[in-house]
Every structure is written in structure tokens, then in C-alpha cells.
Amino acid sequence: MSESAPAETPLDELVESVADRTGEEPESIRTWLEPFTDDGRVTSAAIESSVTDVSQILATAETRVDLATRTHDEATAADDAPDLEVVTVRRRAFGDRLDDLRAEVEALGDELGAARSGLAEPVAVYRAAVALHEITTEAQDIVRVAHDLETELEAFEAWLRSANRRHGALVDEVEAAEESAAALTETVESLRDADDPDPGRRFDAAVQTRVLDLVVADLRAEADDLRAWAHRDGAPFPDDVDARIDDLESAVAEHADALGDRPGRDGEFGERLDALDAELEAVEPPVAWARVDETVAEARSALSEDGATGDEAAN
């Protein structure tokens, strides 16, 4: 702990001092400072104990990331998978996620170092207590994410080694897309039958149609790669996958025609939909779905924003 850490100080006195300087609620300040207290006083020993606890949690996060990295190396080093995009994109995505986790652990280490130094002033002690809580929360999140990633990597290794697993996963993805298309069919039919279809629902249906169109393209590219892989290894490939993807493509095209070029009244959602079209037109299989999900979420925010605007106008 820093030599500038305060000597024993009554908690009430420190809370009052911080409240005077920051204007924050005393009870909130007291709650944050609780881990730094011992028998009603803020002490260097209690601060050091808190820092040690947080350091151990951060060390656990680093260990989990190291274990996930080891699993990643084992999953990708021993396989004889062909040089196909369906493999490359998965490897790249896992590698990027591990890089992000390592960077987060390093950043939290820097934050911990900053939190434990320069504690001569009451406000600095308070800010350190808040920072340690946030570091703890983020480190625990990293532990959870790294554990989940390790599980995904183990499944990826099994996927690499088994044609049956690869083909089964593809069929599952096709079935999920079929279910989404069926739900969208019901929505489109209800909009078509309505005398005055809700513009928001129409907009959302138009967004879903565009996403499904991208899903179909992604499934087709994945099926092509997995078929080539199966051919190389002399393994059978599911007979009906192509026909099911064709049916999906036809259904999505019908939805697009039914919804027309605009989702509702001119100008209400048109700009958002045009922006989404521009973003999605630049996406090619294999699709980086995390980025697409962000783009779609941004487009869908038009529903809540325009709804709020309408409510304000009505009031």
C-alpha cells in the first residue's frame, strides 16, 4: 500500500469530509467506504486487505484467460482442417476475443495500480474504494466470459474433428432460420391483412427480412465449404440442405416483396432503413455476426426513439 495512505480515521469524519468536497450523498459514500473500515474507522490495514482481495480476483481472471488461451492453442494446433473460410473465420473470432480479454485484464491491472496509490486525501480514498469495486465487478465478468469461451473452444475442437458434428450444427442453423422465417411469415401476413398496419411493426419486419437474407447467404457459403470438406475426406453430406436453403431464400424474397421498399409512412423510418441497407450491403459471408447485431440494434433503436417522440408530441 502507498506510504501516503491515511492513518486511522473515524468513518463518520471521512464521510463528512468527502460529502463536503463532492456533494454526494453521505449514505452512499459510507457504503462505498465500508470495505476500508475496521471497527468504525478507516485504516491502512483494511485498505490493504481490500486491495489484496481485489488483486486475487484479478489474478483469477488472468488465470482463466490463460486457460482459455491454452485451450485455443490445443484446439487449433493439432487439426488437419482444410484452408476454408468456414474454419478461418471461427479461428479469427476466437483469437480476437482472447486478445480483447487479455487487454481488459491488463487495463484492470493498471487501474488497480492507480487505485492503490496517492491516498493522502479523503476524496482519493473514497475514489479508490469505488474503483476497487468496479475492478472487482469487471474482473468477475472476465472470469465468467473466459470460462464460457473455454467451453466454446472445446466445442470448436470437437467440431473440427467430427464431420457429423459440423453437419449437425449446420442443420441446426438451417432449422433455426426456418423457424425465424415462419414467424416472420405470420407477421407479414398480419400486416398485409391489416387496414392500417402499424409502421413500427412494418419497420421491424423489414429489418428482420434483411437480416434473414444475410443469414441465407451465410448458410449457403457455410454449406459450400462444409461440402468441399466432406468431399475431401470422403464423408457424406446432408442431402436436403441445399433445397432447404433455396426454400428459405424464396420465402425471404416473398417477404421483401410484400413489405415493399418502404416500411411505413414516408420519412418515419426510411432513413434508418436506408442506413441499414448501406451497412448490410457491405457484409459478405462468412458473416461477422457480432458487428451485424450492433448495426441491427442501432437501426431498431428507431422504434423506441420515434415512439418517445410521438408520445412527447401527444402530450
Side-chain angles (χ1 to χ4, degrees):
M1 174 55 63
S2 169
E3 294 180 358
S4 61
E8 292 190 9
T9 305
L11 177 59
D12 290 342
E13 179 181 320
L14 194 59
V15 168
E16 182 179 357
S17 179
V18 173
D20 288 343
R21 287 168 169 79
T22 65
E24 298 183 28
E25 291 294 328
E27 286 308 309
S28 175
I29 297 170
R30 184 182 301 275
T31 298
W32 288 114
L33 288 173
E34 186 63 32
F36 285 0
T37 63
D38 182 14
D39 195 23
R41 305 177 71 85
V42 175
T43 68
S44 296
I47 295 173
E48 181 64 34
S49 177
S50 293
V51 170
T52 299
D53 290 344
V54 175
S55 297
Q56 291 174 346
I57 294 171
L58 186 55
T60 300
E62 186 174 9
T63 298
R64 292 286 354 166
V65 174
D66 288 342
L67 289 172
T69 300
R70 186 182 309 166
T71 302
H72 173 266
D73 294 343
E74 291 173 354
T76 58
D79 71 274
D80 63 344
D83 184 17
L84 296 170
E85 282 296 306
V86 71
V87 177
T88 301
V89 71
R90 284 168 167 78
R91 284 176 168 163
R92 186 186 304 123
F94 282 125
D96 289 345
R97 289 166 67 185
L98 282 169
D99 289 344
D100 289 344
L101 287 175
R102 283 190 286 266
E104 289 174 20
V105 169
E106 184 176 352
L108 289 182
D110 293 341
E111 292 175 22
L112 178 60
R116 67 186 302 172
S117 63
L119 300 179
E121 299 295 328
V123 173
V125 175
Y126 167 60
R127 300 298 185 206
V130 174
L132 290 178
H133 175 80
E134 292 174 347
I135 292 168
T136 297
T137 299
E138 293 179 25
Q140 290 170 336
D141 284 344
I142 290 173
V143 169
R144 174 183 55 77
V145 172
H147 179 270
D148 291 346
L149 180 57
E150 188 176 1
T151 300
E152 290 180 45
L153 283 162
E154 290 171 350
F156 175 58
E157 183 175 15
W159 181 89
L160 285 171
R161 297 180 184 279
S162 170
N164 286 339
R165 284 181 180 269
R166 293 192 294 273
H167 300 163
L170 174 61
V171 170
D172 288 344
E173 291 169 4
V174 171
E175 289 178 353
E178 289 171 338
E179 291 174 2
S180 296
L184 182 56
T185 296
E186 295 181 3
T187 300
V188 171
E189 289 177 351
S190 67
L191 288 168
R192 182 188 298 158
D193 294 340
D195 293 332
D196 185 19
D198 178 73
R201 287 189 68 211
R202 194 172 181 86
F203 173 83
D204 193 53
V207 172
Q208 292 180 54
T209 299
R210 283 153 172 79
V211 172
L212 270 174
D213 187 55
L214 197 56
V215 167
V216 169
D218 200 41
L219 287 173
R220 195 178 297 284
E222 182 174 353
D224 288 344
D225 275 0
L226 292 183
R227 185 185 300 101
W229 193 346
H231 179 73
R232 187 203 72 164
D233 294 346
F237 187 78
D239 294 330
D240 63 342
V241 164
D242 288 331
R244 293 171 70 178
I245 294 176
D246 289 342
D247 290 343
L248 274 169
E249 186 172 32
S250 297
V252 173
E254 290 176 5
H255 297 333
D257 290 341
L259 292 168
D261 294 333
R262 292 288 177 177
R265 295 188 295 272
D266 288 343
E268 185 172 2
F269 298 115
E271 291 184 3
R272 292 297 184 104
L273 196 59
D274 289 343
L276 177 62
D277 285 338
E279 291 277 355
L280 296 186
E281 284 173 3
V283 177
E284 296 182 358
V287 176
W289 283 108
R291 175 63 186 128
V292 170
D293 289 343
E294 291 176 5
T295 302
V296 171
E298 183 178 351
R300 280 185 167 137
S301 69
L303 292 174
S304 57
E305 290 177 5
D306 288 351
T309 301
D311 291 341
E312 292 169 2
N315 293 330

